[in-house]
Structures are given as C-alpha cells and as structure tokens.
Amino acid sequence: MSLSRSFGGSVTVATLTLLLAACGGGGGSAPAPAPAPAPPPAPGPISALGEDPCNSGSASYGLTTFGGELVGKQAAAAVVGCTGAITRPEWSQIEGPSVALLSAKTQVIHFEPTQAGTYGFRVRFNDPAGTARSEDVRVTVSAPAQAVRALVRNHQAVRMGGKISLRAWSPSGEAINSVNWVQTAGPTVTLQNVDALAKQFVAPEVTRDTVLRFRATVTTSSGASDTHEALVVVERQVQAAANDSNAVWSGDHISRVYAYRPNGPYAGALVRCVYDPAQTNSNLCPLSQLPFLAQDVSAGQIPTVEQVMNRVIVSHDWLGENFEQFLRTHDTNGDFRRMLMSTTAVVLGAHVRPSFYYAGTGAIYLDAANFWLTPAQRDTIDEAPDFRAGFGNSLSHYGLWRYAKNNGSYFRFFDPKLRVDRSQDDLLAAAGWLMYHELVHALDFMPPGQYAGLNNSLSAWGNIAPRFSARQLVSDLVSSRFPLTSNEMKGLGQVKFQGQTATATQNAYTADQVAAFFSADLATDEYAYSTSREDVAMGVEEMLMSRRLGVQRDVAFVPRTTESIVTSNVRWGQRGRVGDPRLKPRVREAAALVVPWLPSSEVDALPAPIAMRQGDSWTSNLNLGPLATPTNARDRLRALSAAEAWQLQVIEERQRVHQFPKKLPPH
C-alpha cells in the first residue's frame, strides 16, 4: 500500500473573538471572557485493508482504501464519520491517469485503473461537527503478475437498512464456473443470490459509519482462480420507525440524494421537502418553499428543460445528465414537460425501487434502472428486485405484458453479465412508458384545471387533500362513471399487487377463466385492478404510447405450474386493447382531464385491438400481422429467442409493479 493524506487542504482553524457590550446602570467589572470551545476531534489516520478507519478514539472521521491495488481491478477510497454523519461529500481527481468517478458525491468512490501509477483524489465534506474539511488520498496501482480473472463491482456506500448488491466478473473473458463469496470485515450480513454471479444483502444497523468488506473467489472454466474484494460503507442514518404514524416515510428506506443543480432556486429545499427521513406530517413544506412546476410557468407556456432540471434530485450526477438528455432528445411534443407541471420534484435514485408517485410531497420517484446508458452507470444501481416480485406465486395463471412495435418487442434485453451500452432509443423505450405512467398519477391528483386555485401557504398535500377526501380525483370520477365490474379480477389484483394471500378458489382459477373475467371488463391491463389510480394510469399510459410513439401494449394470460410459467401456451391475449370501442369513452374522459392539450381525436384514432393466437407461444405472438424484414442490426436484436423473451419478461415484471398509494398524511 502506498498512499498519503494531506491535512493542509481547506481545513479551517477557527478563532473566537469576544465582543463585550457595556451594560447600563451601576459600576462593576465586566464579565469574564467565555472559555474557548474545545477543538473538534482530530481525524483518524487512513486505514489499510482490514483496518478500522475509526480506530482512534479521538477521530471524528477517517479515510480508508485498499492496499496492493492492481490494474484491471476496481479500486476504492472512502470517508467515514466516526462520531456522527458526513455530509456533502464530493471527490475530485488531483493526480494520475484520468479515471471516471461516477459516485463522486457519495462517501465511497470506485475507479478502474487501466495503467499502473499513482492516483490521487481530494475529498471535500463537512465532518460530524459541520466543519468543512478537505483531505487528499493517494493510491498506488501496480501491474498484475498474471491475467486478472476476478473483478467485483461496485465499492459503494449505503445507509443502514438499505438493500445493496455486488457482482463478480471475469475481465479475462473466460466463462465462470463458480463464485465463492466470503465476508471479511464488518457486522455479519446474510448474502442472498441475485443470480449465479451476484449477491445482495440488507445493510445492518450500525452505531456509526462502518466498513464492510467482501471477497469473491472466481473460478473460470479453465480451472484458474482469482480473488477480489469489495468495500461497502454502511452510513448510520436513522430512518423513520415503521410504527411512527406521524412520520411521512415510516417504515421506508430513504437513501442519500442531493439536488442535481446545487445553485438552482430550490436546491436548499428539495431534499428536505421531498426525500428526508425526518419529514413528518406536521412539517410538510408549503408551496411557498417548493411550489408545483406549474407555478413557475406563465399560463399557456411549456416549462423549459432548465426549469425541470432545477427540481431534479439524484443519487448520482449521471442520472441528472441522462434525464436532461432524455428530455432534450425525446420530449419534442412537450408532453413530458407539460405533465411534469403537476409535480414539485423528480427523484432519480439508485435505491428507488419500485418507481412511484407520492401525493404527500407532490413528487415522482424513479428507479435509476430505467435511465442508464453505459455499463459503468448500470454498475452503480442496486440489483435487488422489487419486494413484491413474488406476489401471486401460488396462482395457476400468469399475466404477461410488453410493448410491441412493427411486430417486434419494443424493449431490448440487456443481460447484466454483459458490458453493453444502451442507445437514446433504448432510453426512450426503457423510460418513456414509466414517465407517462407516473406522471398520469401526478395529474390524477393535481390536474391542470386545479393550477389556478393553488394556495401557497399549504403543502402539496394540503392542496390535494380536500379533493381526495371528497373523492373528486380524476380516478374517482372515471371509476364512478365507468366502473370495473369483475369482482374476480378485483380480488386477484389485491393478491398480485397488494400482497394479500390468495384463497383456494383464486389459486385454482385457470388462465382461460381469468382471461374470460378480464376480457369482458373495461380494464386495459390487470394492474388496473390494484387501485382505481392504477386503472387511470394504465389506460392513459397505453393511449400515449400508441399515439405518441407508435407502440402498442400486449397483454396475455398463460398457465402457471409450481415449476414454471408456461409462456409457450398463450390462452388469450390482445395487442392494443386500449383501442377497444368499449374502453375508449373512459380513456377519453381521463385523458381530457389529465392531458387536456391533446384533442379527443387522439383517442378516437386508436387502432382496434388485435387478438393473439391461442395456443401459440408468447414469443411467436410478437408477429400479429405482416412482418417487415429487419433492415438493421438494432431491429434484428429485437427478434428475441424464447429464452431471451423469458428473461426479458422477468425484468419487465420487476419494473411494472408500482408502489401506490403511499401513506397519505392526515388532513
């Protein structure tokens, strides 16, 4: 290990000057000067592999890194709080061959050296006493003696109680026979499989920032083996208790985020008002502190991208960069920006899963998995599945969905084991439907017709609550005029999406029976039976995807056994169900209220649904009409094999389960 730290930097030595004012009245001596405050605790020394960075009892903070770093293996450096929390960390490189620091505003940076040498970094932060600090860390990287066969990504920081994942790779390109994981430092955690190469765990409760280390031993198909260790800092951050009825985020894990534009007009309010575990029902921010985006826009105007980005909160800068690029590239009609007028903020987080809208804050919260463009960006995202992915496993049927275009899947499958980039078109496919869906939720609670009457002395929820209590939300009006009637589907919706235990009768329903329940009713997707809010969001989402992007939604039901989901036997399915004449009146009414800038002719122009071929596979039913010959590599990639289609479905299923409603504050 070869590293050093400078204590010169920007560490400030404070001096205290006492200003004494004469008191009126009689004589007497001036009061004795107050004693000078004790200096803040000194930082501890940099620790090497296996050492505790807070090993000095007087340390307020410490730094740590690995020793013996090698070219081709991910390296790391970290700052930890020993007597309290580290705030506002920000790393920069000051020496050595240039490397990307995708986690530069977290307590842990990682980088992958491509050449030997000394790499220097400076971290600026506020220590537990709130004092601004600056420390330098240098890491010496050597050439490996043999080919690197083990690499673990990513070194990272997570708040206690958060889910985290680590993945092993073989940069040599050899096939991996096995990976053996061992925890080498920190409180013991339970490692669970993500897949054959990745593990996940829940960060333990800690009394101070604590370093965990994990070693992966990779054995390749040639019998060669290699090891690499990962560093995880568990930040001590007290979350709201699950039984605290006054806490906005009771029972939820709130990860570290920050305002993407630190000098924006709302930068100081964003996290405090939108994603802070200390938020309570009694201290919700009034709109005078964080208004809806609509309140920043002149009547009849479309928000600028800059106005939107002033309200973006991120866990990593790359998320803000990709989101901004997404808006500039794909929001040519202004739909996304118009819809965002009903939000106070956009949270993009590596630990946000599932995506959701929350009326309590007026913000949308989006899973970073929908916004990555490069493998390195994807590496920073937690891979732990949505906690509801297993709901309904006892049922004898399974509902499938996807979006299709030109008789091919609109989505591409990106194997997490491969280092594959995504294009801007892929980003639209991954995030467009999600944006439409979550923003319809926001417009359901705060439709454009309500903008003029907003009260700045009240919070977002304070403005929404009267209409919520009076059942005057868009979803209330639509469900009242055009109710869903299948009690069987309503019951299954609570099992599949709300976690209720299935009854024996529900478990016995066949795919044919469920298809009959569903097809006779007015929902566009079975997720509509989760809540009336989802009913409206699904219908308008599918309409916008069809009319704006030329993409149609497929839904189908197949048998399910205890061993597998039988995707080879579609019992019933449709493409473009939203175009069914029976469904159009309810979609038209919802659209008129949430996206009033679209003429009603958009709903009228929806094409009639196309029936799937009963008994054919889910994959073969991609082609429901004349199939154009793929003319480029991208289109050819969309022709999925059956195995790939199944893997894609697993990913789609994880993404689709939205968390709604969140707990709504009392009013």
Side-chain angles (χ1 to χ4, degrees), residues 535-551:
D535 180 22
V536 163
M538 292 305 305
V540 178
E541 171 202 326
E542 185 174 342
M543 182 274 290
L544 289 169
M545 290 292 287
S546 178
R547 296 303 300 150
R548 288 309 205 195
L549 302 181
V551 180

Side-chain angles (χ1 to χ4, degrees), residues 107 156-164 187 189 201-210 212 232-241 251-256 277 351:
Q107 288 182 224
Q156 56 196 292
V158 63
R159 289 176 171 176
M160 60 185 190
K163 295 179 181 178
I164 198 165
V189 300
F201 62 93
V202 176
E205 297 288 315
V206 293
T207 57
R208 58 170 170 78
D209 289 358
T210 301
L212 280 61
V232 175
V233 169
V234 179
E235 304 170 30
R236 175 166 172 77
Q237 169 64 64
V238 177
Q239 305 282 349
D252 293 305
H253 181 266
I254 306 305
S255 52
R256 184 194 287 267
H351 294 280

Side-chain angles (χ1 to χ4, degrees), residues 289-453:
Q289 295 180 16
L290 184 60
F292 285 100
L293 176 59
Q295 296 174 271
D296 282 349
V297 182
S298 300
Q301 298 298 305
I302 301 175
T304 65
V305 174
E306 287 72 20
Q307 287 175 311
V308 172
M309 297 310 297
N310 284 335
R311 296 163 175 277
V312 171
I313 303 168
V314 298
S315 59
H316 298 77
D317 275 351
W318 67 261
L319 276 165
E321 294 164 3
N322 290 2
F323 186 72
E324 182 171 357
Q325 189 177 9
F326 171 87
L327 292 177
R328 295 192 187 281
T329 303
H330 300 300
D331 195 24
T332 54
N333 293 310
D335 289 333
F336 292 127
R337 282 171 289 148
R338 279 188 170 106
M339 297 174 82
L340 281 161
M341 290 170 68
S342 287
T343 67
T344 58
V346 179
V347 180
L348 299 155
H351 294 280
V352 173
R353 182 159 303 143
S355 301
F356 61 96
Y357 159 79
Y358 184 22
T361 60
I364 58 171
Y365 303 76
L366 303 178
D367 187 340
N370 295 86
F371 291 93
W372 64 268
L373 286 172
T374 70
Q377 292 172 355
R378 188 183 194 180
D379 291 338
T380 65
I381 302 169
D382 169 42
E383 292 190 66
D386 181 345
F387 70 94
R388 284 164 299 176
F391 287 175
N393 280 351
S394 62
L395 299 173
S396 299
H397 72 279
Y398 195 80
L400 296 167
W401 76 275
R402 66 188 168 212
Y403 276 110
K405 187 172 185 176
N406 296 330
N407 289 313
S409 175
Y410 185 53
F411 299 133
R412 283 178 60 191
F413 173 65
F414 294 88
D415 191 327
K417 298 185 290 296
L418 303 179
R419 312 292 291 168
V420 181
D421 287 334
R422 289 203 298 200
S423 69
Q424 272 296 321
D425 284 348
D426 292 319
L427 189 62
L428 178 61
W433 68 273
L434 177 70
M435 288 283 290
Y436 281 141
H437 186 99
E438 299 306 341
L439 289 173
V440 173
H441 280 317
L443 287 152
D444 180 9
F445 279 78
M446 181 50 62
Q450 298 295 315
Y451 295 160

Side-chain angles (χ1 to χ4, degrees), residues 60-143:
S60 65
Y61 65 88
L63 294 102
T64 188
T65 186
F66 284 119
E69 299 288 16
L70 298 176
V71 172
K73 294 195 177 188
Q74 195 176 80
V79 58
V80 300
C82 301
T83 59
I86 296 294
T87 57
R88 304 185 65 175
E90 185 165 2
W91 298 79
S92 59
Q93 186 174 3
I94 57 174
E95 184 180 354
S98 179
V99 294
L101 299 179
L102 293 185
S103 299
K105 293 181 181 177
T106 72
Q107 288 182 224
V108 177
I109 54 166
H110 58 264
F111 64 99
E112 297 190 18
T114 58
Q115 55 185 295
T118 299
Y119 294 75
F121 305 94
R122 177 165 295 149
V123 57
R124 290 185 169 90
F125 58 96
N126 290 344
D127 71 9
T131 303
R133 300 281 186 176
S134 178
E135 299 290 352
D136 292 349
V137 178
R138 288 178 173 83
V139 180
T140 296
V141 176
S142 304

